[in-house]
Amino acid sequence: HKPTPVAGNVTLDGKPLDGAHVRFIGDGFDPPLVQNPNGYTDGEGRYKLSYLGNGDGAPVGKYKVTITLHAKDSEGYRTGVN
């Protein structure tokens, strides 16, 4: 499956969501995807998906999308699900 660039923005209550994990879960691919394309949002809520490499995108097809935000500890590292 050849990836195509995918980028977007994530907001919550109209504000950019920083550090959210964006994951596209393939639906109906044959053969199945090697892994699910995913990425993290920056301070402005922007993300680029990666499938096989850094920011290469996702294969064209149908997906279910999950967005997960992890809490930051006192040193700024992401910890358990929030």
Side-chain angles (χ1 to χ4, degrees):
H1 302 285
K2 181 180 177 186
T4 299
V6 176
N9 296 296
V10 177
T11 60
L12 179 64
D13 297 328
K15 297 178 183 172
L17 193 57
D18 181 21
H21 183 224
V22 179
R23 186 170 71 162
F24 280 42
I25 302 168
D27 184 16
F29 282 90
D30 186 22
L33 296 176
V34 173
Q35 63 182 7
N36 290 311
N38 69 94
Y40 284 88
T41 58
D42 64 15
E44 295 184 22
R46 298 177 300 206
Y47 70 89
K48 288 184 181 180
L49 291 183
S50 294
Y51 175 56
L52 299 174
N54 190 17
D56 62 349
V60 173
K62 291 176 65 175
Y63 292 91
K64 295 178 183 176
V65 178
T66 64
I67 300 172
T68 307
L69 184 62
H70 297 269
K72 288 184 181 180
D73 67 14
S74 61
E75 296 179 11
Y77 294 102
R78 297 285 174 187
T79 60
V81 175
N82 186 6

